[in-house]
Amino acid sequence: MHQRSNDGVIATGNAQVRNTVVASGSNARVDFRVTEEEPERAGGRPPTPQEISDLLARFVEELRRSDHPEREDLAEFAEDAREELAAPEPRTGKLRRVARALVEAVPGFAGLASLAVTIEEAVRGL
């Protein structure tokens, strides 16, 4: 088994890694790790609501291209989270629940799962 590593993302199989968070390809598996000292962003700065919104938009795009049986409902759920992020005072508790639900909904879809984990970690940084 061939393995490539990239700052917290280990992709195996015929994986292609984009932006150090999404691995896709036949037989792709992802082991995603975030260190406590340096979550997601260079210099350890927490992600901005806009960066999380961008991740959610990517998640929706990937989801709609997938064959996930609940892709439309999950896409709507993610879009609701993007609206919450745009609010003057986003409710972080709601965003954490959404992020956790997305992670739990896509375990068999490697690319979606790694992106969902990235979103969950980013929301924790708010």
Side-chain angles (χ1 to χ4, degrees), residues 14 17 21 23-24 27 43 56-57 62 65-66 72 74 77 82 84 87-88 92-93 100-101 110 117 120:
N14 296 323
V17 179
V21 294
S24 61
N27 300 319
L56 284 162
E62 295 285 331
R65 283 193 294 262
S66 78
E72 290 305 317
L74 289 172
F77 198 45
R82 290 186 73 210
E84 184 64 37
T92 56
R100 169 57 40 207
V117 167
E120 182 182 33

Side-chain angles (χ1 to χ4, degrees), residues 64-78:
R64 289 202 167 121
R65 283 193 294 262
S66 78
D67 61 352
H68 193 287
E70 297 175 12
R71 65 183 165 269
E72 290 305 317
D73 289 338
L74 289 172
E76 185 177 323
F77 198 45

